Amino acid sequence: MWWKSWKAIEDKYVASYSSVMDFMDSQGIKWAMPAYMIYSINHYKEGSFSVDTTIYTLERGALGHDKKDLFTLEQKKAIAKFLQFMVEVGDEWVDAESAKTALDKIWGEYL
């Protein structure tokens, strides 16, 4: 179950480990975030808590417990676009209010 790349993380693991990023440092969040964002885009209508916890992690700045910002400018732009999409799909499927808060407070400057 140990992966060499985030691309190898299967959806079933993302769905099963919704709160794992709460226990990661910044490097771990940076590594896992793409898998969680892609999962969220592909499965937001299924009610998986992993979708909202991805948004909540970004709402807190995605810094991990060590509070380091390791994202590149391009990654920050991708995160901002992801959150914008989550706001657009709306409250019927995701916590759009938290996604908007994350954009307003942190990530919106990268749009």
Side-chain angles (χ1 to χ4, degrees), residues 15-82:
S16 296
Y17 297 99
S18 62
S19 62
V20 72
M21 286 190 281
D22 290 341
F23 304 99
M24 290 183 177
D25 63 8
S26 299
Q27 188 63 42
I29 289 176
K30 180 182 177 183
W31 184 84
M33 186 57 72
Y36 277 77
M37 288 170 50
I38 290 169
Y39 174 87
S40 297
I41 290 167
N42 291 331
H43 299 278
Y44 69 90
K45 290 184 178 182
E46 296 172 14
S48 170
F49 194 58
S50 292
V51 175
D52 283 338
T53 58
T54 300
I55 293 169
Y56 302 149
T57 298
L58 294 169
E59 186 180 23
R60 292 189 307 267
L63 300 178
H65 59 77
D66 56 357
K67 305 293 186 214
K68 294 180 183 175
D69 179 2
L70 300 178
F71 291 105
T72 67
L73 178 59
E74 289 303 311
Q75 290 167 330
K76 290 175 181 179
K77 289 178 181 179
I79 289 168
K81 288 179 183 177
F82 164 80

